[in-house]
Amino acid sequence: MLKSILAALEEAADAAGAKVEPIVLSGDPEWTARQYGVEAVPRMKLAEVRRALKASDGLISGGGSLLQDATGLGSIPYYLGIMELARWCGKPTFVYAQGIGPVNRAMFKPLIARAFKRARYVSVRDEESAALLRGYGVSASRVEVVPDPVMGLPPGGNGADDEGGADGGDTLPVVGVSVRFWRSDRADLDRAAAALEALAARGVRARLRFLPFHRGADEDASRYVMERLARAGAFSERELELAPAHDDPQRMLREVGRCALLIGMRLHSLIYAANREVPLLGISYDPKIDQFLQRLGEQAIGSTEALDAEAAAARAAEILRDPGQWLGEKQDTIRRLKEEAAKPSQQIMSFIRI
């Protein structure tokens, strides 16, 4: 998300003949500065955050699901508090492609509405988030619905750092697979494995390249599915690969770009696939998956609670037989989503330069 926003701001600044110098609020400022080449300050040291805000021309809040209380009580007060601190410093605030909710505690709703009414610019990543804000009392005219910023992330690189990746000379089509832990009993991963077994049973030969989007947990989830497939004899050892968990999101974007099909549970795995015009099939664990797929005119092939392995395998085999048909149907939509993903950075630059 950060890489996408930084890239979009730089592109918008170049188009406006300006220069952007980001200061990122980070839980690990040294790593962030080293990884992204930006100035970073510790997000929980409010004195340093205040100094950074006073030195800035504005605050960008986003993207992602910052304003939700499903994971605890701290997230909403923190992010609204940072926005309020920016206003105390006399700086405009900009909401960048956020996903709102779930907000289960009524006390937070008027606080969110007040912060968003005072923001100079507000964008959210789906219509459902916009509807929530309208329900909180934020005028529809103040809220722009845009795609997730990752939709506009450029691939970067020149290919030299990707040797041994998905296009390593094998003639088999590469099917990217992104899985994650969700259910404690792992029944969701068993269902995903069953769909891949059903694909092999149809005589479809492919190389499965598992793409961990979160270091550690996603690697373990991938290994769980790979071991089940190996035990079942559905795929040979050479047809099962685990890609590195790249710290650089653009390297993973290039990994996805070399796939013939992407089957994903992670939202950003699906967004990466659309970004690179790779056919995709989504397994839903959260409404945000379904909302993104709907923007592409697609539906999830199943969820963490129910997945028809044979139907999923049939759809995957159909796409692998003729991936060009999928792209022909989606290309105009993907192009439009990429253009819309750039809107927040363009709007923010226009406000700052007034």
Side-chain angles (χ1 to χ4, degrees), residues 2 9 70 76 93 95 98 116-117 136-137 141 150-151 213 219-220 224 239 243 249 289 301 308 336-337 343 352:
L2 173 60
L9 287 172
I76 293 176
T93 58
V95 178
Q98 286 199 23
F116 280 35
K117 289 175 181 177
Y136 301 166
S141 63
V150 177
M151 194 66 209
F213 277 70
E219 292 171 306
D220 290 343
Y224 178 86
E239 292 170 340
I289 303 288
I301 57 170
D308 185 326
R336 176 176 52 79
L337 290 176
K343 285 184 177 180
I352 287 179

Side-chain angles (χ1 to χ4, degrees), residues 123-193:
S123 59
V124 294
R125 69 183 181 192
D126 51 64
E127 178 55 42
E128 288 73 10
S129 294
L132 282 177
L133 291 177
R134 291 195 295 272
Y136 301 166
V138 180
S139 170
S141 63
R142 290 188 52 80
V143 181
E144 185 168 33
V145 179
V146 299
D148 188 290
V150 177
M151 194 66 209
L153 180 66
N158 56 18
D161 58 350
D162 296 305
E163 294 181 3
D167 59 349
D170 201 321
T171 58
L172 293 177
V174 174
V175 176
V177 182
S178 167
V179 291
R180 60 163 299 165
F181 289 122
W182 188 253
R183 290 178 56 109
S184 60
D185 62 3
R186 301 189 177 182
D188 47 351
L189 296 181
D190 292 335
R191 294 186 187 101

Side-chain angles (χ1 to χ4, degrees), residues 161-316:
D161 58 350
D162 296 305
E163 294 181 3
D167 59 349
D170 201 321
T171 58
L172 293 177
V174 174
V175 176
V177 182
S178 167
V179 291
R180 60 163 299 165
F181 289 122
W182 188 253
R183 290 178 56 109
S184 60
D185 62 3
R186 301 189 177 182
D188 47 351
L189 296 181
D190 292 335
R191 294 186 187 101
L196 294 170
E197 289 176 26
L199 180 62
R202 287 176 170 269
V204 176
R205 294 199 60 218
R207 186 151 55 99
L208 303 188
R209 189 161 172 86
F210 286 76
L211 306 174
F213 277 70
H214 286 218
R215 189 180 297 278
D218 284 13
E219 292 171 306
D220 290 343
S222 297
R223 291 189 187 99
Y224 178 86
V225 176
M226 293 170 70
E227 289 167 4
R228 170 168 168 162
L229 293 172
R231 286 196 305 270
F235 294 87
S236 68
E237 184 176 336
R238 63 182 291 273
E239 292 170 340
L240 296 170
E241 298 178 348
L242 180 61
H246 298 296
D247 287 329
D248 181 351
Q250 288 175 304
R251 292 192 68 181
M252 185 62 85
L253 187 62
R254 297 195 294 275
E255 285 267 15
V256 171
R258 288 189 294 273
C259 296
L261 170 67
L262 188 287
I263 300 174
M265 291 174 69
R266 287 282 183 193
L267 172 63
H268 280 135
S269 73
L270 302 173
I271 296 175
Y272 276 34
N275 177 304
R276 302 302 294 149
E277 300 185 349
V278 170
L280 57 92
L281 296 173
I283 300 172
S284 178
Y285 70 92
D286 185 276
K288 64 187 179 184
I289 303 288
D290 302 285
Q291 292 157 11
F292 174 71
L293 292 172
Q294 287 167 12
R295 298 187 82 157
L296 287 174
E298 290 283 316
Q299 291 184 334
I301 57 170
S303 72
T304 51
E305 303 305 313
L307 193 158
D308 185 326
E310 291 299 330
R315 179 59 178 148

Side-chain angles (χ1 to χ4, degrees), residues 35-160:
Q35 182 71 20
Y36 297 102
V38 295
E39 182 180 349
V41 299
R43 63 191 292 271
M44 300 307 293
K45 294 186 177 180
L46 294 185
E48 294 193 42
V49 172
R50 183 174 179 273
R51 281 195 292 271
L53 289 171
K54 289 181 73 68
S56 301
D57 293 305
L59 169 73
I60 293 174
S61 179
S65 301
L66 304 184
L67 299 178
Q68 52 79 28
D69 58 5
T71 59
L73 291 174
S75 184
I76 293 176
Y78 173 81
Y79 290 108
L80 293 183
I82 295 297
M83 294 178 71
E84 186 65 22
L85 183 58
R87 284 190 290 272
W88 288 349
C89 294
K91 309 299 179 179
T93 58
F94 308 98
V95 178
Y96 200 123
Q98 286 199 23
I100 310 301
V103 180
N104 299 307
R105 295 163 179 85
M107 64 180 178
F108 289 138
K109 297 176 182 180
L111 301 179
I112 293 171
R114 185 179 70 172
F116 280 35
K117 289 175 181 177
R118 293 178 176 180
R120 184 71 60 86
Y121 169 76
V122 174
S123 59
V124 294
R125 69 183 181 192
D126 51 64
E127 178 55 42
E128 288 73 10
S129 294
L132 282 177
L133 291 177
R134 291 195 295 272
Y136 301 166
V138 180
S139 170
S141 63
R142 290 188 52 80
V143 181
E144 185 168 33
V145 179
V146 299
D148 188 290
V150 177
M151 194 66 209
L153 180 66
N158 56 18

Side-chain angles (χ1 to χ4, degrees), residues 7-36:
L9 287 172
E10 183 176 5
E11 182 178 351
D14 287 344
K19 181 177 176 58
V20 172
E21 296 180 359
I23 305 173
V24 177
L25 309 186
S26 171
D28 188 344
E30 291 184 3
W31 184 89
T32 298
R34 184 172 62 253
Q35 182 71 20
Y36 297 102

